[in-house]
Amino acid sequence: MLHIDLNGQPTDASPLLIVHGLFGSARNWGVISKRLSDERLVVAVDQRNHGASPRFPTQSYPDMAADLAEVLEPLVAEHGPCHVMGHSMGGKAVMVLALERPELIKSLVVADISPVTYSHDNTPLIEAMRRIDLSIVEKRSDADKQLARDVLDAGVRAFLLQSLVVKEKRWLLNLDVLEAEMPKITAFPEVSGQYHGPTFFLSGGESTYVERDHRARSKALFPEAKFASIPGTGHWLHAEKPREFEAAMRAWMHAVDAKA
């Protein structure tokens, strides 16, 4: 079972499951989770090979979707279908989940990713993390100085270093498996069928991950899809504009709940 963080208490509103992206964790979503938990139970997970969740030899989307189904099944049994939001790699995982287990999901939110194969990969970031000499790291700034040799963006460095346990000198990431499985992570699996439930593709206005020519594929799999973007944001839209992201999530879930 995946490690989960719970925020809030069950209410009449449907629970929300939050699924992070590559190199992330439930903790990255702590602020958003706490804010949204004023109205509903919010469950955030550490995906396999990330954070405090178990290590596995694969990082395929069908496997990630099966992990998420295992988390959702008891929630749905008690509270009914849940809102599910996934960012980046997590967005692809929840899309596969929706296609395979639609009965678990009340609505789907896909944050800044499309159901397509991408040409870039994040192997250079794994190599950069590996090059840090953890034996001489006494505080996070020590690691940041080393990481800066390969990763110029301070925001990306700060994000990656959230997964470093300085005192224990170890990563909360299974770097070997993530590197080996990178072709699966950048791809999107061959799937059949459609998810006909409410679906919201929310992207960063300046992100390069979601393009208009992706919409046909998104609509083919998710016929009820709605699309919106948050201006002035890139791929990490929830970190760059947390209030706007929170507001978009609230408005979406309120609208879906009102129709139920």
Side-chain angles (χ1 to χ4, degrees), residues 71 104 137-138 191 202 206 228 238:
V71 172
L104 300 175
V137 170
E138 298 300 329
V191 290
L202 181 61
E206 298 177 1
H238 60 288

Side-chain angles (χ1 to χ4, degrees), residues 27 132 134 137 139-140 143 160-167 169-172:
R27 190 175 67 157
I132 296 176
L134 296 178
V137 170
K139 51 188 183 298
R140 202 166 300 275
L160 296 175
L161 290 173
Q162 287 186 48
S163 290
L164 177 64
V165 184
V166 174
K167 288 184 179 180
K169 300 184 185 297
R170 67 182 181 90
W171 292 98
L172 293 173

Side-chain angles (χ1 to χ4, degrees), residues 179-202:
E179 180 179 41
E181 296 282 275
M182 192 63 69
K184 294 179 184 176
I185 295 169
T186 56
F188 191 76
E190 289 295 324
V191 290
S192 59
Q194 297 175 313
Y195 172 70
H196 291 276
T199 305
F200 185 29
F201 284 85
L202 181 61

Side-chain angles (χ1 to χ4, degrees), residues 131-146:
R131 277 194 284 269
I132 296 176
D133 183 353
L134 296 178
S135 69
I136 60 173
V137 170
E138 298 300 329
K139 51 188 183 298
R140 202 166 300 275
S141 60
D142 296 336
D144 184 67
K145 288 177 183 176
Q146 292 190 57

Side-chain angles (χ1 to χ4, degrees), residues 6-252:
L6 298 175
N7 284 277
Q9 299 293 327
T11 68
D12 290 339
S14 300
L16 167 65
L17 175 68
I18 292 178
V19 185
H20 67 79
L22 181 63
F23 306 137
S25 68
R27 190 175 67 157
N28 301 149
W29 288 84
V31 172
I32 298 291
S33 295
K34 287 183 174 64
R35 288 176 179 170
L36 293 176
S37 70
D38 65 339
E39 296 182 334
R40 67 189 71 240
L41 177 66
V42 179
V43 181
V45 298
D46 288 347
Q47 293 218 72
R48 59 172 49 209
N49 298 311
H50 291 72
S53 281
R55 278 27 185 168
F56 292 97
T58 67
Q59 196 72 34
S60 74
Y61 289 111
D63 288 339
M64 285 185 265
D67 293 341
L68 298 174
E70 188 178 5
V71 172
L72 279 173
E73 284 166 350
L75 282 171
V76 171
E78 188 169 357
H79 307 293
C82 299
H83 299 287
V84 176
M85 189 284 299
H87 173 247
S88 195
M89 180 185 76
K92 287 186 173 182
V94 301
M95 283 189 275
V96 173
L97 171 69
L99 292 165
E100 294 184 343
R101 298 292 305 276
E103 76 279 4
L104 300 175
I105 299 178
K106 186 171 189 178
S107 84
L108 183 68
V109 181
V110 180
D112 209 67
I113 202 73
S114 297
V116 301
T117 295
Y118 289 84
S119 59
H120 66 272
D121 72 43
N122 288 289
T123 301
L125 293 180
I126 293 176
E127 294 169 347
M129 285 184 273
R130 279 212 186 96
R131 277 194 284 269
I132 296 176
D133 183 353
L134 296 178
S135 69
I136 60 173
V137 170
E138 298 300 329
K139 51 188 183 298
R140 202 166 300 275
S141 60
D142 296 336
D144 184 67
K145 288 177 183 176
Q146 292 190 57
L147 193 58
R149 296 176 303 201
D150 298 302
V151 181
L152 299 181
D153 189 310
V156 174
R157 295 199 306 273
F159 168 69
L160 296 175
L161 290 173
Q162 287 186 48
S163 290
L164 177 64
V165 184
V166 174
K167 288 184 179 180
E168 300 175 13
K169 300 184 185 297
R170 67 182 181 90
W171 292 98
L172 293 173
L173 299 166
N174 189 342
L175 296 177
D176 290 344
V177 167
L178 295 178
E179 180 179 41
E181 296 282 275
M182 192 63 69
K184 294 179 184 176
I185 295 169
T186 56
F188 191 76
E190 289 295 324
V191 290
S192 59
Q194 297 175 313
Y195 172 70
H196 291 276
T199 305
F200 185 29
F201 284 85
L202 181 61
S203 60
E206 298 177 1
S207 173
T208 59
Y209 280 72
V210 178
E211 300 177 7
R212 289 197 68 86
D213 62 5
H214 294 167
R215 285 196 179 186
R217 177 61 173 159
S218 298
K219 273 286 198 180
L221 294 173
F222 305 96
E224 302 302 315
K226 310 290 185 187
F227 301 86
S229 62
I230 298 177
T233 60
H235 186 54
W236 284 277
L237 64 173
H238 60 288
E240 295 171 40
K241 294 283 183 74
R243 289 294 188 184
E244 290 85 345
F245 186 89
E246 174 196 348
M249 287 292 301
R250 284 189 192 278
W252 171 258

